[in-house]
Amino acid sequence: MASNINFLSKQLDLKMNELAVANEQLKKDIELKEKVEQSRKELLSNVSHELKTPISLIGGYAEGLKLNINKDDKDFYCDVIMDETKKMNKLVLSLLDLAQVEAGYEAFLQAILTK
């Protein structure tokens, strides 16, 4: 009976140690996920700010075009609109790239967490 109690005590100690290691890993995973979420919030804030300026410019120059401005100004306004559109497109493509990377990262995290 004493050997059984010793065996059970060792098994309990082993499982407690395994739980402590798993708990520590879970804490790290949670911290990492919180950092990723904070980065995501900052990114959304920055993207919103970066899109607001070109959208305002495009709107303003489009209004100018509607007012039938002279030929030289019309060409300049169109150039500004095309330039700002290219900048916004580049930003959107970067966001799509980031989404793909993040999707792969999420799959990676899931694989680690399910081990």
Side-chain angles (χ1 to χ4, degrees):
M1 186 161 161
S3 65
N4 284 341
I5 290 175
N6 285 340
F7 174 77
L8 290 174
S9 175
K10 287 177 185 178
Q11 289 297 314
L12 181 60
D13 188 49
L14 179 67
K15 295 300 177 186
M16 293 288 285
N17 287 335
E18 288 175 4
L19 280 173
V21 169
N23 191 32
E24 194 60 39
Q25 183 61 45
L26 185 58
K27 285 180 184 178
K28 290 178 184 177
D29 291 343
I30 289 170
E31 287 175 13
L32 179 61
K33 199 151 184 96
E34 287 173 351
K35 287 179 183 178
V36 168
E37 186 61 30
Q38 181 62 32
S39 294
R40 182 176 309 175
K41 287 178 183 178
E42 289 175 16
L43 175 68
L44 285 175
S45 175
N46 291 338
V47 167
S48 298
H49 177 73
E50 290 298 320
L51 286 174
K52 186 176 180 183
T53 300
I55 288 171
S56 296
L57 283 171
I58 290 170
Y61 282 99
E63 284 179 34
L65 288 172
K66 193 170 185 175
L67 296 174
N68 294 322
I69 56 169
N70 66 43
K71 169 79 170 110
D72 291 337
D73 286 340
K74 183 177 182 179
D75 288 341
F76 174 75
Y77 282 24
C78 287
D79 288 341
V80 169
I81 289 171
M82 290 185 308
D83 184 52
E84 294 302 319
T85 302
K86 287 177 187 174
K87 288 178 186 176
M88 289 180 6
N89 188 51
K90 188 176 178 181
L91 183 59
V92 169
L93 290 175
S94 295
L95 287 173
L96 291 173
D97 288 344
L98 180 63
Q100 288 179 339
V101 168
E102 189 175 74
Y105 176 74
E106 298 248 338
F108 172 73
L109 276 182
Q110 281 301 108
I112 289 176
L113 293 175
T114 57
K115 283 186 178 179

PDB file of all heavy atoms in Angstrom, residues 24-54:
ATOM      1  N   GLU A  24       2.198  27.964 -17.957  1.00  0.00           N
ATOM      2  CA  GLU A  24       3.174  28.994 -18.341  1.00  0.00           C
ATOM      3  C   GLU A  24       3.116  29.246 -19.850  1.00  0.00           C
ATOM      4  O   GLU A  24       3.144  30.392 -20.296  1.00  0.00           O
ATOM      5  CB  GLU A  24       4.587  28.568 -17.920  1.00  0.00           C
ATOM      6  CG  GLU A  24       5.599  29.665 -17.971  1.00  0.00           C
ATOM      7  CD  GLU A  24       5.267  30.844 -17.076  1.00  0.00           C
ATOM      8  OE1 GLU A  24       4.774  30.645 -15.951  1.00  0.00           O
ATOM      9  OE2 GLU A  24       5.504  31.986 -17.515  1.00  0.00           O
ATOM     10  N   GLN A  25       3.000  28.175 -20.631  1.00  0.00           N
ATOM     11  CA  GLN A  25       2.897  28.324 -22.083  1.00  0.00           C
ATOM     12  C   GLN A  25       1.607  29.051 -22.457  1.00  0.00           C
ATOM     13  O   GLN A  25       1.597  29.902 -23.338  1.00  0.00           O
ATOM     14  CB  GLN A  25       2.944  26.945 -22.772  1.00  0.00           C
ATOM     15  CG  GLN A  25       2.915  27.013 -24.280  1.00  0.00           C
ATOM     16  CD  GLN A  25       4.105  27.763 -24.852  1.00  0.00           C
ATOM     17  OE1 GLN A  25       5.234  27.551 -24.431  1.00  0.00           O
ATOM     18  NE2 GLN A  25       3.860  28.637 -25.811  1.00  0.00           N
ATOM     19  N   LEU A  26       0.539  28.741 -21.755  1.00  0.00           N
ATOM     20  CA  LEU A  26      -0.743  29.402 -22.008  1.00  0.00           C
ATOM     21  C   LEU A  26      -0.650  30.894 -21.705  1.00  0.00           C
ATOM     22  O   LEU A  26      -1.168  31.715 -22.465  1.00  0.00           O
ATOM     23  CB  LEU A  26      -1.845  28.751 -21.170  1.00  0.00           C
ATOM     24  CG  LEU A  26      -3.263  29.241 -21.400  1.00  0.00           C
ATOM     25  CD1 LEU A  26      -3.683  29.053 -22.851  1.00  0.00           C
ATOM     26  CD2 LEU A  26      -4.221  28.520 -20.469  1.00  0.00           C
ATOM     27  N   LYS A  27       0.032  31.254 -20.631  1.00  0.00           N
ATOM     28  CA  LYS A  27       0.228  32.672 -20.302  1.00  0.00           C
ATOM     29  C   LYS A  27       0.980  33.385 -21.413  1.00  0.00           C
ATOM     30  O   LYS A  27       0.618  34.491 -21.816  1.00  0.00           O
ATOM     31  CB  LYS A  27       0.999  32.819 -18.981  1.00  0.00           C
ATOM     32  CG  LYS A  27       0.190  32.534 -17.747  1.00  0.00           C
ATOM     33  CD  LYS A  27       1.041  32.701 -16.501  1.00  0.00           C
ATOM     34  CE  LYS A  27       0.294  32.321 -15.251  1.00  0.00           C
ATOM     35  NZ  LYS A  27       1.129  32.447 -14.042  1.00  0.00           N
ATOM     36  N   LYS A  28       2.034  32.735 -21.924  1.00  0.00           N
ATOM     37  CA  LYS A  28       2.801  33.333 -23.024  1.00  0.00           C
ATOM     38  C   LYS A  28       1.937  33.490 -24.267  1.00  0.00           C
ATOM     39  O   LYS A  28       2.010  34.510 -24.956  1.00  0.00           O
ATOM     40  CB  LYS A  28       4.021  32.478 -23.340  1.00  0.00           C
ATOM     41  CG  LYS A  28       5.095  32.519 -22.273  1.00  0.00           C
ATOM     42  CD  LYS A  28       6.251  31.614 -22.617  1.00  0.00           C
ATOM     43  CE  LYS A  28       7.280  31.568 -21.509  1.00  0.00           C
ATOM     44  NZ  LYS A  28       8.366  30.644 -21.800  1.00  0.00           N
ATOM     45  N   ASP A  29       1.127  32.476 -24.562  1.00  0.00           N
ATOM     46  CA  ASP A  29       0.245  32.540 -25.737  1.00  0.00           C
ATOM     47  C   ASP A  29      -0.767  33.670 -25.602  1.00  0.00           C
ATOM     48  O   ASP A  29      -1.043  34.385 -26.562  1.00  0.00           O
ATOM     49  CB  ASP A  29      -0.486  31.201 -25.927  1.00  0.00           C
ATOM     50  CG  ASP A  29       0.443  30.079 -26.356  1.00  0.00           C
ATOM     51  OD1 ASP A  29       1.570  30.376 -26.816  1.00  0.00           O
ATOM     52  OD2 ASP A  29       0.045  28.905 -26.214  1.00  0.00           O
ATOM     53  N   ILE A  30      -1.302  33.846 -24.405  1.00  0.00           N
ATOM     54  CA  ILE A  30      -2.270  34.917 -24.164  1.00  0.00           C
ATOM     55  C   ILE A  30      -1.598  36.282 -24.314  1.00  0.00           C
ATOM     56  O   ILE A  30      -2.161  37.187 -24.927  1.00  0.00           O
ATOM     57  CB  ILE A  30      -2.923  34.762 -22.769  1.00  0.00           C
ATOM     58  CG1 ILE A  30      -3.867  33.554 -22.770  1.00  0.00           C
ATOM     59  CG2 ILE A  30      -3.672  36.031 -22.362  1.00  0.00           C
ATOM     60  CD1 ILE A  30      -4.387  33.162 -21.401  1.00  0.00           C
ATOM     61  N   GLU A  31      -0.400  36.424 -23.757  1.00  0.00           N
ATOM     62  CA  GLU A  31       0.336  37.685 -23.898  1.00  0.00           C
ATOM     63  C   GLU A  31       0.602  37.992 -25.371  1.00  0.00           C
ATOM     64  O   GLU A  31       0.441  39.134 -25.816  1.00  0.00           O
ATOM     65  CB  GLU A  31       1.656  37.624 -23.132  1.00  0.00           C
ATOM     66  CG  GLU A  31       1.507  37.692 -21.638  1.00  0.00           C
ATOM     67  CD  GLU A  31       2.836  37.498 -20.911  1.00  0.00           C
ATOM     68  OE1 GLU A  31       3.908  37.559 -21.565  1.00  0.00           O
ATOM     69  OE2 GLU A  31       2.810  37.281 -19.694  1.00  0.00           O
ATOM     70  N   LEU A  32       0.997  36.977 -26.121  1.00  0.00           N
ATOM     71  CA  LEU A  32       1.263  37.161 -27.545  1.00  0.00           C
ATOM     72  C   LEU A  32      -0.007  37.577 -28.283  1.00  0.00           C
ATOM     73  O   LEU A  32       0.006  38.507 -29.091  1.00  0.00           O
ATOM     74  CB  LEU A  32       1.829  35.874 -28.142  1.00  0.00           C
ATOM     75  CG  LEU A  32       2.147  35.895 -29.635  1.00  0.00           C
ATOM     76  CD1 LEU A  32       3.206  36.949 -29.941  1.00  0.00           C
ATOM     77  CD2 LEU A  32       2.612  34.532 -30.084  1.00  0.00           C
ATOM     78  N   LYS A  33      -1.094  36.924 -27.970  1.00  0.00           N
ATOM     79  CA  LYS A  33      -2.371  37.249 -28.617  1.00  0.00           C
ATOM     80  C   LYS A  33      -2.803  38.677 -28.264  1.00  0.00           C
ATOM     81  O   LYS A  33      -3.325  39.395 -29.112  1.00  0.00           O
ATOM     82  CB  LYS A  33      -3.438  36.245 -28.197  1.00  0.00           C
ATOM     83  CG  LYS A  33      -4.616  36.216 -29.115  1.00  0.00           C
ATOM     84  CD  LYS A  33      -5.242  34.841 -29.097  1.00  0.00           C
ATOM     85  CE  LYS A  33      -6.355  34.745 -30.062  1.00  0.00           C
ATOM     86  NZ  LYS A  33      -5.998  34.198 -31.335  1.00  0.00           N
ATOM     87  N   GLU A  34      -2.584  39.097 -27.026  1.00  0.00           N
ATOM     88  CA  GLU A  34      -2.918  40.466 -26.622  1.00  0.00           C
ATOM     89  C   GLU A  34      -2.053  41.483 -27.370  1.00  0.00           C
ATOM     90  O   GLU A  34      -2.546  42.532 -27.784  1.00  0.00           O
ATOM     91  CB  GLU A  34      -2.753  40.633 -25.107  1.00  0.00           C
ATOM     92  CG  GLU A  34      -3.843  39.948 -24.309  1.00  0.00           C
ATOM     93  CD  GLU A  34      -3.594  39.967 -22.811  1.00  0.00           C
ATOM     94  OE1 GLU A  34      -2.482  40.359 -22.372  1.00  0.00           O
ATOM     95  OE2 GLU A  34      -4.512  39.572 -22.068  1.00  0.00           O
ATOM     96  N   LYS A  35      -0.772  41.171 -27.559  1.00  0.00           N
ATOM     97  CA  LYS A  35       0.111  42.062 -28.312  1.00  0.00           C
ATOM     98  C   LYS A  35      -0.340  42.158 -29.764  1.00  0.00           C
ATOM     99  O   LYS A  35      -0.328  43.241 -30.350  1.00  0.00           O
ATOM    100  CB  LYS A  35       1.559  41.579 -28.246  1.00  0.00           C
ATOM    101  CG  LYS A  35       2.219  41.807 -26.909  1.00  0.00           C
ATOM    102  CD  LYS A  35       3.638  41.282 -26.897  1.00  0.00           C
ATOM    103  CE  LYS A  35       4.272  41.443 -25.525  1.00  0.00           C
ATOM    104  NZ  LYS A  35       5.632  40.897 -25.483  1.00  0.00           N
ATOM    105  N   VAL A  36      -0.732  41.032 -30.334  1.00  0.00           N
ATOM    106  CA  VAL A  36      -1.220  41.024 -31.714  1.00  0.00           C
ATOM    107  C   VAL A  36      -2.492  41.859 -31.820  1.00  0.00           C
ATOM    108  O   VAL A  36      -2.645  42.657 -32.754  1.00  0.00           O
ATOM    109  CB  VAL A  36      -1.469  39.576 -32.208  1.00  0.00           C
ATOM    110  CG1 VAL A  36      -2.247  39.554 -33.506  1.00  0.00           C
ATOM    111  CG2 VAL A  36      -0.147  38.837 -32.363  1.00  0.00           C
ATOM    112  N   GLU A  37      -3.378  41.724 -30.863  1.00  0.00           N
ATOM    113  CA  GLU A  37      -4.629  42.496 -30.876  1.00  0.00           C
ATOM    114  C   GLU A  37      -4.352  43.987 -30.730  1.00  0.00           C
ATOM    115  O   GLU A  37      -4.973  44.811 -31.415  1.00  0.00           O
ATOM    116  CB  GLU A  37      -5.562  42.015 -29.755  1.00  0.00           C
ATOM    117  CG  GLU A  37      -6.924  42.643 -29.775  1.00  0.00           C
ATOM    118  CD  GLU A  37      -7.717  42.377 -31.043  1.00  0.00           C
ATOM    119  OE1 GLU A  37      -7.531  41.318 -31.663  1.00  0.00           O
ATOM    120  OE2 GLU A  37      -8.519  43.248 -31.429  1.00  0.00           O
ATOM    121  N   GLN A  38      -3.413  44.351 -29.874  1.00  0.00           N
ATOM    122  CA  GLN A  38      -3.043  45.761 -29.718  1.00  0.00           C
ATOM    123  C   GLN A  38      -2.449  46.300 -31.012  1.00  0.00           C
ATOM    124  O   GLN A  38      -2.770  47.408 -31.436  1.00  0.00           O
ATOM    125  CB  GLN A  38      -2.046  45.934 -28.558  1.00  0.00           C
ATOM    126  CG  GLN A  38      -1.643  47.364 -28.327  1.00  0.00           C
ATOM    127  CD  GLN A  38      -2.801  48.271 -27.939  1.00  0.00           C
ATOM    128  OE1 GLN A  38      -3.743  47.846 -27.288  1.00  0.00           O
ATOM    129  NE2 GLN A  38      -2.740  49.517 -28.349  1.00  0.00           N
ATOM    130  N   SER A  39      -1.606  45.508 -31.647  1.00  0.00           N
ATOM    131  CA  SER A  39      -1.022  45.917 -32.930  1.00  0.00           C
ATOM    132  C   SER A  39      -2.105  46.095 -33.986  1.00  0.00           C
ATOM    133  O   SER A  39      -2.053  47.014 -34.796  1.00  0.00           O
ATOM    134  CB  SER A  39      -0.005  44.879 -33.413  1.00  0.00           C
ATOM    135  OG  SER A  39       1.095  44.828 -32.551  1.00  0.00           O
ATOM    136  N   ARG A  40      -3.086  45.222 -33.973  1.00  0.00           N
ATOM    137  CA  ARG A  40      -4.200  45.313 -34.925  1.00  0.00           C
ATOM    138  C   ARG A  40      -4.988  46.609 -34.717  1.00  0.00           C
ATOM    139  O   ARG A  40      -5.339  47.300 -35.672  1.00  0.00           O
ATOM    140  CB  ARG A  40      -5.122  44.108 -34.763  1.00  0.00           C
ATOM    141  CG  ARG A  40      -6.271  44.090 -35.751  1.00  0.00           C
ATOM    142  CD  ARG A  40      -7.087  42.854 -35.605  1.00  0.00           C
ATOM    143  NE  ARG A  40      -6.161  41.739 -35.633  1.00  0.00           N
ATOM    144  CZ  ARG A  40      -6.480  40.481 -35.449  1.00  0.00           C
ATOM    145  NH1 ARG A  40      -7.714  40.159 -35.219  1.00  0.00           N
ATOM    146  NH2 ARG A  40      -5.589  39.527 -35.491  1.00  0.00           N
ATOM    147  N   LYS A  41      -5.241  46.954 -33.463  1.00  0.00           N
ATOM    148  CA  LYS A  41      -5.964  48.197 -33.173  1.00  0.00           C
ATOM    149  C   LYS A  41      -5.168  49.412 -33.648  1.00  0.00           C
ATOM    150  O   LYS A  41      -5.728  50.340 -34.223  1.00  0.00           O
ATOM    151  CB  LYS A  41      -6.258  48.302 -31.674  1.00  0.00           C
ATOM    152  CG  LYS A  41      -7.335  47.360 -31.198  1.00  0.00           C
ATOM    153  CD  LYS A  41      -7.547  47.474 -29.706  1.00  0.00           C
ATOM    154  CE  LYS A  41      -8.575  46.479 -29.221  1.00  0.00           C
ATOM    155  NZ  LYS A  41      -8.762  46.535 -27.768  1.00  0.00           N
ATOM    156  N   GLU A  42      -3.864  49.401 -33.383  1.00  0.00           N
ATOM    157  CA  GLU A  42      -3.011  50.503 -33.832  1.00  0.00           C
ATOM    158  C   GLU A  42      -2.991  50.591 -35.356  1.00  0.00           C
ATOM    159  O   GLU A  42      -3.042  51.680 -35.922  1.00  0.00           O
ATOM    160  CB  GLU A  42      -1.593  50.326 -33.291  1.00  0.00           C
ATOM    161  CG  GLU A  42      -1.478  50.561 -31.807  1.00  0.00           C
ATOM    162  CD  GLU A  42      -0.084  50.250 -31.270  1.00  0.00           C
ATOM    163  OE1 GLU A  42       0.880  50.146 -32.069  1.00  0.00           O
ATOM    164  OE2 GLU A  42       0.045  50.103 -30.044  1.00  0.00           O
ATOM    165  N   LEU A  43      -2.929  49.437 -36.001  1.00  0.00           N
ATOM    166  CA  LEU A  43      -2.926  49.412 -37.460  1.00  0.00           C
ATOM    167  C   LEU A  43      -4.211  49.999 -38.023  1.00  0.00           C
ATOM    168  O   LEU A  43      -4.179  50.825 -38.942  1.00  0.00           O
ATOM    169  CB  LEU A  43      -2.731  47.987 -37.975  1.00  0.00           C
ATOM    170  CG  LEU A  43      -2.827  47.817 -39.484  1.00  0.00           C
ATOM    171  CD1 LEU A  43      -1.645  48.490 -40.167  1.00  0.00           C
ATOM    172  CD2 LEU A  43      -2.902  46.360 -39.866  1.00  0.00           C
ATOM    173  N   LEU A  44      -5.345  49.601 -37.475  1.00  0.00           N
ATOM    174  CA  LEU A  44      -6.623  50.146 -37.948  1.00  0.00           C
ATOM    175  C   LEU A  44      -6.694  51.646 -37.759  1.00  0.00           C
ATOM    176  O   LEU A  44      -7.174  52.374 -38.635  1.00  0.00           O
ATOM    177  CB  LEU A  44      -7.788  49.464 -37.229  1.00  0.00           C
ATOM    178  CG  LEU A  44      -8.108  48.050 -37.686  1.00  0.00           C
ATOM    179  CD1 LEU A  44      -9.191  47.444 -36.806  1.00  0.00           C
ATOM    180  CD2 LEU A  44      -8.519  48.021 -39.135  1.00  0.00           C
ATOM    181  N   SER A  45      -6.195  52.122 -36.649  1.00  0.00           N
ATOM    182  CA  SER A  45      -6.173  53.556 -36.401  1.00  0.00           C
ATOM    183  C   SER A  45      -5.290  54.268 -37.420  1.00  0.00           C
ATOM    184  O   SER A  45      -5.680  55.289 -37.994  1.00  0.00           O
ATOM    185  CB  SER A  45      -5.668  53.826 -34.981  1.00  0.00           C
ATOM    186  OG  SER A  45      -5.534  55.198 -34.759  1.00  0.00           O
ATOM    187  N   ASN A  46      -4.107  53.713 -37.668  1.00  0.00           N
ATOM    188  CA  ASN A  46      -3.181  54.318 -38.629  1.00  0.00           C
ATOM    189  C   ASN A  46      -3.738  54.275 -40.054  1.00  0.00           C
ATOM    190  O   ASN A  46      -3.618  55.244 -40.801  1.00  0.00           O
ATOM    191  CB  ASN A  46      -1.823  53.618 -38.586  1.00  0.00           C
ATOM    192  CG  ASN A  46      -1.076  53.889 -37.296  1.00  0.00           C
ATOM    193  OD1 ASN A  46      -1.329  54.877 -36.611  1.00  0.00           O
ATOM    194  ND2 ASN A  46      -0.170  53.009 -36.939  1.00  0.00           N
ATOM    195  N   VAL A  47      -4.338  53.160 -40.421  1.00  0.00           N
ATOM    196  CA  VAL A  47      -4.901  53.031 -41.770  1.00  0.00           C
ATOM    197  C   VAL A  47      -6.042  54.030 -41.958  1.00  0.00           C
ATOM    198  O   VAL A  47      -6.137  54.687 -43.001  1.00  0.00           O
ATOM    199  CB  VAL A  47      -5.375  51.590 -42.036  1.00  0.00           C
ATOM    200  CG1 VAL A  47      -6.243  51.504 -43.278  1.00  0.00           C
ATOM    201  CG2 VAL A  47      -4.174  50.664 -42.172  1.00  0.00           C
ATOM    202  N   SER A  48      -6.883  54.159 -40.965  1.00  0.00           N
ATOM    203  CA  SER A  48      -7.979  55.121 -41.052  1.00  0.00           C
ATOM    204  C   SER A  48      -7.436  56.524 -41.277  1.00  0.00           C
ATOM    205  O   SER A  48      -7.939  57.272 -42.117  1.00  0.00           O
ATOM    206  CB  SER A  48      -8.812  55.108 -39.772  1.00  0.00           C
ATOM    207  OG  SER A  48      -9.390  53.850 -39.580  1.00  0.00           O
ATOM    208  N   HIS A  49      -6.395  56.858 -40.546  1.00  0.00           N
ATOM    209  CA  HIS A  49      -5.784  58.179 -40.684  1.00  0.00           C
ATOM    210  C   HIS A  49      -5.160  58.337 -42.075  1.00  0.00           C
ATOM    211  O   HIS A  49      -5.316  59.377 -42.714  1.00  0.00           O
ATOM    212  CB  HIS A  49      -4.729  58.387 -39.604  1.00  0.00           C
ATOM    213  CG  HIS A  49      -4.008  59.685 -39.715  1.00  0.00           C
ATOM    214  ND1 HIS A  49      -4.597  60.882 -39.383  1.00  0.00           N
ATOM    215  CD2 HIS A  49      -2.760  59.980 -40.139  1.00  0.00           C
ATOM    216  CE1 HIS A  49      -3.735  61.857 -39.595  1.00  0.00           C
ATOM    217  NE2 HIS A  49      -2.613  61.333 -40.052  1.00  0.00           N
ATOM    218  N   GLU A  50      -4.460  57.312 -42.530  1.00  0.00           N
ATOM    219  CA  GLU A  50      -3.780  57.377 -43.827  1.00  0.00           C
ATOM    220  C   GLU A  50      -4.767  57.446 -44.992  1.00  0.00           C
ATOM    221  O   GLU A  50      -4.447  58.005 -46.037  1.00  0.00           O
ATOM    222  CB  GLU A  50      -2.852  56.176 -44.005  1.00  0.00           C
ATOM    223  CG  GLU A  50      -1.635  56.206 -43.116  1.00  0.00           C
ATOM    224  CD  GLU A  50      -0.722  57.398 -43.384  1.00  0.00           C
ATOM    225  OE1 GLU A  50      -0.520  57.752 -44.563  1.00  0.00           O
ATOM    226  OE2 GLU A  50      -0.218  57.977 -42.410  1.00  0.00           O
ATOM    227  N   LEU A  51      -5.949  56.876 -44.847  1.00  0.00           N
ATOM    228  CA  LEU A  51      -6.945  56.920 -45.918  1.00  0.00           C
ATOM    229  C   LEU A  51      -7.745  58.221 -45.909  1.00  0.00           C
ATOM    230  O   LEU A  51      -8.230  58.663 -46.949  1.00  0.00           O
ATOM    231  CB  LEU A  51      -7.898  55.731 -45.821  1.00  0.00           C
ATOM    232  CG  LEU A  51      -7.327  54.385 -46.251  1.00  0.00           C
ATOM    233  CD1 LEU A  51      -8.320  53.273 -45.965  1.00  0.00           C
ATOM    234  CD2 LEU A  51      -6.946  54.382 -47.717  1.00  0.00           C
ATOM    235  N   LYS A  52      -7.878  58.831 -44.746  1.00  0.00           N
ATOM    236  CA  LYS A  52      -8.703  60.033 -44.629  1.00  0.00           C
ATOM    237  C   LYS A  52      -8.152  61.180 -45.483  1.00  0.00           C
ATOM    238  O   LYS A  52      -8.915  61.857 -46.184  1.00  0.00           O
ATOM    239  CB  LYS A  52      -8.768  60.462 -43.160  1.00  0.00           C
ATOM    240  CG  LYS A  52      -9.706  61.599 -42.914  1.00  0.00           C
ATOM    241  CD  LYS A  52      -9.791  61.916 -41.435  1.00  0.00           C
ATOM    242  CE  LYS A  52     -10.752  63.061 -41.208  1.00  0.00           C
ATOM    243  NZ  LYS A  52     -10.827  63.456 -39.834  1.00  0.00           N
ATOM    244  N   THR A  53      -6.853  61.384 -45.479  1.00  0.00           N
ATOM    245  CA  THR A  53      -6.259  62.485 -46.241  1.00  0.00           C
ATOM    246  C   THR A  53      -6.468  62.327 -47.749  1.00  0.00           C
ATOM    247  O   THR A  53      -6.975  63.249 -48.394  1.00  0.00           O
ATOM    248  CB  THR A  53      -4.762  62.621 -45.900  1.00  0.00           C
ATOM    249  OG1 THR A  53      -4.640  62.874 -44.505  1.00  0.00           O
ATOM    250  CG2 THR A  53      -4.120  63.749 -46.686  1.00  0.00           C
ATOM    251  N   PRO A  54      -6.098  61.167 -48.339  1.00  0.00           N
ATOM    252  CA  PRO A  54      -6.310  61.071 -49.786  1.00  0.00           C
ATOM    253  C   PRO A  54      -7.787  61.122 -50.187  1.00  0.00           C
ATOM    254  O   PRO A  54      -8.127  61.682 -51.234  1.00  0.00           O
ATOM    255  CB  PRO A  54      -5.687  59.735 -50.188  1.00  0.00           C
ATOM    256  CG  PRO A  54      -5.317  59.041 -48.947  1.00  0.00           C
ATOM    257  CD  PRO A  54      -5.375  60.026 -47.821  1.00  0.00           C
TER     258      PRO A  54
END
